């Protein structure tokens, strides 16, 4: 502790995603309007802003219109408006178009844009820095710091130059302490510090458990003759059977399509592999026809919050607040969360600025929690609160029908007094002998590929001689429980080939290839016994997504 240097700010923000960047911009706007100085910094564990950002993405500009009303004149990357909206229900060989007239009006994509969320964050970072925000990419917040009274004091970055055995290498550098009057946690889904804060301050006590999906994504350069800028396609049905989820394919700029597949992590069959389901989905005749003649240029994966309104935890605690996907504001049926994440950051910024102007520090920003639940973010999420649990309970076909009726009734303001709950994603997995095995086809290396060649395209890299950031609470559980009862599901739910069982001395052993980790957090969520704990590696490690 004595080796650490410290820096003090009015507000410290962990994570340079849409929420953290929007919060920083709003703070500086308010300070400028009031004619006062306000110091704001953002820590970003990726090697640059956007390096760890992954989303479809179709973005509703509602929050952007409030934050930067002149964004259209500021060379924003939001340049491809959605022009076509398709929803396909797939069988193994055919598709059926679902008429959009069957869906409530808020489900259409009129006025939205399709683009790289990573590039949008890079642009937002430029706007923030122009206002005086200090952004530190390549520095991972590894520890929450507390004052003597238990309030959050700030965060400390991880030490650099620590060997795998815990010894200090010649290039060792101790972490830096960042102290703030208030600290915002904008880590994204399943943030490792957020998880600790929820435990310490019991933030989940009055909410349903958060549930997740894993989203896998690729970028393809396709034949220009097949490219229709602004065409948006969503699919459901095949190839998923017992699990639920679906695919997306967005025609973006420069003859490029962003495509991907989301699998809800509540699935029960331990033999299921979300990665293989994605590769299988691409072989559907309608999807393959778009990709043939094209070239895959990038790959990545990320967990997605799917719990909705009832899974939002308490947002504030002494000295800090949760914003963006750290709290979970994704609108699951709309497949959008960037606009709600940005709005949450803006509301937190307004509450913090009011507190700082009143010379407060380290208290709970209750005004933010109140404002969020009175905002259009809450209105939007309340409208769709039963969609995910209905589909999870009744399956893709019947659940979608029930969810559609529920959304229509709420849209028409016909009273539905109930809110469905959730079960944690790690619960309810079938034993391996009770679950049907799934025969996945071998990749053809044209449309479908293996995991290791995919990870190569994510530009993932970690300093090899550092402590493994995928930690086991009990080293015996992988073999004695996971392999024995569930056939080692971590081999299949990880989209990056991090986990594999190898023979050693005639006995199986779990090998953790941490250098492959794309920071998706699936293992931290799905492990049946919650024995895997994801902690932050050295700053700058992980994927380096160019425009995901």
């Amino acid at each position: 502790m004595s080796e650490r240097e410290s820096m003090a700010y009015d507000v410290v923000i962990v994570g340079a995603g849409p929420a953290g960047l929007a919060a920083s911009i709003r703070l500086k706007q308010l300070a400028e309007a009031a004619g006062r100085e306000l110091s704001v910094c953002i820590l970003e564990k990726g090697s640059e802003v956007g390096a760890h950002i992954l989303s479809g993405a179709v973005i509703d500009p509602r929050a952007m219109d409030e934050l930067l009303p002149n964004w259209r004149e500021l060379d924003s990357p939001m340049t491809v408006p959605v022009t076509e909206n398709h929803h396909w229900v797939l069988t193994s060989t055919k598709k059926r178009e679902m008429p959009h007239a069957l869906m409530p009006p808020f489900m259409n994509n009129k006025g939205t844009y399709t683009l790289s969320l990573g590039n949008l964050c890079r642009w937002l970072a430029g706007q923030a820095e122009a206002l005086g925000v200090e952004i530190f990419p390549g520095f991972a917040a590894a520890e929450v710091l507390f004052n003597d009274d238990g309030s959050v004091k700030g965060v400390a970055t991880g030490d650099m130059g620590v060997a795998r055995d815990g010894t200090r290498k010649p290039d060792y550098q101790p972490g830096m302490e960042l102290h703030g009057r208030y600290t915002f946690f904008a880590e994204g889904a399943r943030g490792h510090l957020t998880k600790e804060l929820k435990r310490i301050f019991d933030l989940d006590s009055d909410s349903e458990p958060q549930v997740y999906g894993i989203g896998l994504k690729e970028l393809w350069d396709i034949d220009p003759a097949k490219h229709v800028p602004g065409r948006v396609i969503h699919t459901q049905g095949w190839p998923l059977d017992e699990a639920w989820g679906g695919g997306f394919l967005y025609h973006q700029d420069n003859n490029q399509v962003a495509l991907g597949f989301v699998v809800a992590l509540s699935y029960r069959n331990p033999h299921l592999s979300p990665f293989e389901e994605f590769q299988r989905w691409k072989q559907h005749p309608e999807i393959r026809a778009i990709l043939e003649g094209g070239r895959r240029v990038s790959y990545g994966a990320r967990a997605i919050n799917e719990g909705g309104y009832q899974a939002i935890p308490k947002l504030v605690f002494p000295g800090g607040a949760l914003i963006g996907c750290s709290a979970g504001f994704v609108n699951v049926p709309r497949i959008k969360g960037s606009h709600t994440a940005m709005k949450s950051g803006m509301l937190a910024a307004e509450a913090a600025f009011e507190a700082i102007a009143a010379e407060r520090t380290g208290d709970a920003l209750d005004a933010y929690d109140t404002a969020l639940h009175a905002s259009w973010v809450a209105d939007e999420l309340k409208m769709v609160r039963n969609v995910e649990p209905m589909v999870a309970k009744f399956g893709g076909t019947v659940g979608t029908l029930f969810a559609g009726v529920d959304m229509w009734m709420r849209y028409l303001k016909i009273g539905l007094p109930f809110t469905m709950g959730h079960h944690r994603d790690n619960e309810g997995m079938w034993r391996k002998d009770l679950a049907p095995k799934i025969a996945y086809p071998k990749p053809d290396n044209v449309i479908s590929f293996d995991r290791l060649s995919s990870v190569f395209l994510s530009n993932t890299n970690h300093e090899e001689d550092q402590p493994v950031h995928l930690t086991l609470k009990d080293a015996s559980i992988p073999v004695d429980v996971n392999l024995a009862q569930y056939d080692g599901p971590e081999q299949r739910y990880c989209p990056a080939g991090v986990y594999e069982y190898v023979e050693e001395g005639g006995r199986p052993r779990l090998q953790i290839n941490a250098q492959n980790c794309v920071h998706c957090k699936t293992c931290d969520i799905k492990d049946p016994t919650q024995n895997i704990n994801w902690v932050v590696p050295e700053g700058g490690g992980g994927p380096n997504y160019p425009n995901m």
Side-chain angles (χ1 to χ4, degrees), residues 283-316:
Q283 296 287 6
H284 190 279
E286 296 288 344
I287 304 299
R288 186 181 179 105
I290 298 169
L291 301 180
E292 281 182 321
R295 181 175 66 94
R296 187 176 72 146
V297 296
S298 193
Y299 165 83
R302 191 69 177 91
I304 305 165
N305 293 304
E306 294 189 337
Y309 186 73
Q310 58 269 49
I312 296 173
K314 186 176 181 182
L315 299 173
V316 297

Side-chain angles (χ1 to χ4, degrees), residues 210-537:
Q210 185 60 260
V211 293
Y212 303 85
I214 177 174
L216 304 106
K217 179 182 176 181
E218 295 176 351
L219 291 178
W220 283 65
D221 291 331
I222 65 167
D223 181 348
K226 301 178 182 179
H227 189 253
V228 184
R231 175 179 286 171
V232 162
I233 299 168
H234 293 113
T235 79
Q236 69 179 81
W238 188 89
L240 294 179
D241 185 8
E242 291 137 355
W244 77 275
F248 65 87
L249 195 151
Y250 304 151
H251 290 248
Q252 298 180 339
D253 208 359
N254 299 319
N255 298 316
Q256 198 164 76
V257 294
L259 67 152
F261 202 73
V262 179
V263 178
L265 288 176
S266 58
Y267 71 83
R268 295 173 178 268
N269 189 336
H271 305 298
L272 185 144
S273 165
F275 176 86
E276 296 293 352
E277 297 291 348
F278 175 32
Q279 301 305 312
R280 187 158 64 157
W281 172 81
K282 288 189 295 175
Q283 296 287 6
H284 190 279
E286 296 288 344
I287 304 299
R288 186 181 179 105
I290 298 169
L291 301 180
E292 281 182 321
R295 181 175 66 94
R296 187 176 72 146
V297 296
S298 193
Y299 165 83
R302 191 69 177 91
I304 305 165
N305 293 304
E306 294 189 337
Y309 186 73
Q310 58 269 49
I312 296 173
K314 186 176 181 182
L315 299 173
V316 297
F317 41 89
L322 305 181
I323 63 175
C325 284
S326 278
F329 300 114
V330 173
N331 184 322
V332 175
R334 288 192 75 200
I335 320 177
K336 293 175 181 63
S338 298
H339 66 303
T340 49
M342 289 178 66
K343 180 63 173 176
S344 73
M346 293 155 64
L347 292 171
E350 289 161 9
F353 181 78
E354 180 184 354
I356 292 168
E359 301 301 330
R360 287 160 42 204
T361 185
D363 59 330
L365 296 170
D366 293 321
Y368 161 50
D369 202 298
T370 300
L372 188 286
H373 288 285
S375 72
W376 57 256
V377 174
D379 293 341
E380 189 173 314
L381 295 182
K382 287 176 184 177
M383 192 82 69
V384 300
R385 68 177 77 180
N386 284 333
V387 171
E388 192 282 342
M390 280 183 168
V391 178
K393 183 175 180 64
F394 299 110
T397 303
V398 176
T400 298
L401 177 63
F402 286 173
V405 171
D406 188 278
M407 285 192 294
W408 266 112
M409 292 182 74
R410 293 183 189 280
Y411 174 73
L412 296 172
K413 295 183 168 37
I414 300 172
L416 285 175
F418 65 93
T419 299
M420 296 179 67
H422 300 302
H423 299 286
R424 297 186 188 280
D425 290 322
N426 65 295
E427 299 172 350
M429 184 174 281
W430 294 328
R431 288 201 331 255
K432 63 182 181 182
D433 55 320
L434 300 178
K437 291 199 172 181
I438 304 172
Y440 291 112
K442 290 184 177 179
D444 61 15
N445 296 317
V446 177
I447 300 295
S448 56
F449 303 88
D450 63 21
R451 277 185 287 189
L452 292 185
S453 66
S454 299
V455 173
F456 177 78
L457 289 180
S458 71
N459 302 306
T460 295
N461 183 58
H462 293 88
E463 174 63 44
E464 193 163 347
D465 186 19
Q466 66 170 299
V468 174
H469 68 279
L470 301 155
T471 63
L472 302 177
K473 298 174 186 175
D474 184 336
S476 68
I477 283 179
V479 171
D480 294 347
V481 179
N482 287 8
L483 187 61
Q485 296 186 23
Y486 307 111
D487 198 27
E490 56 270 68
Q491 300 174 97
R492 290 173 290 279
Y493 61 59
C494 174
V498 169
Y499 301 97
E500 61 177 326
Y501 283 89
V502 297
E503 288 289 329
E504 190 175 83
R507 177 174 166 79
R509 175 182 64 83
L510 178 66
Q511 179 166 299
I512 300 176
N513 305 307
Q515 65 273 20
N516 287 3
C517 178
V518 295
H519 297 200
C520 74
K521 310 293 182 65
T522 302
C523 57
D524 195 286
I525 298 163
K526 187 61 179 171
D527 183 57
T529 60
Q530 292 294 276
N531 187 50
I532 298 173
N533 186 41
W534 194 100
V535 298
V536 71

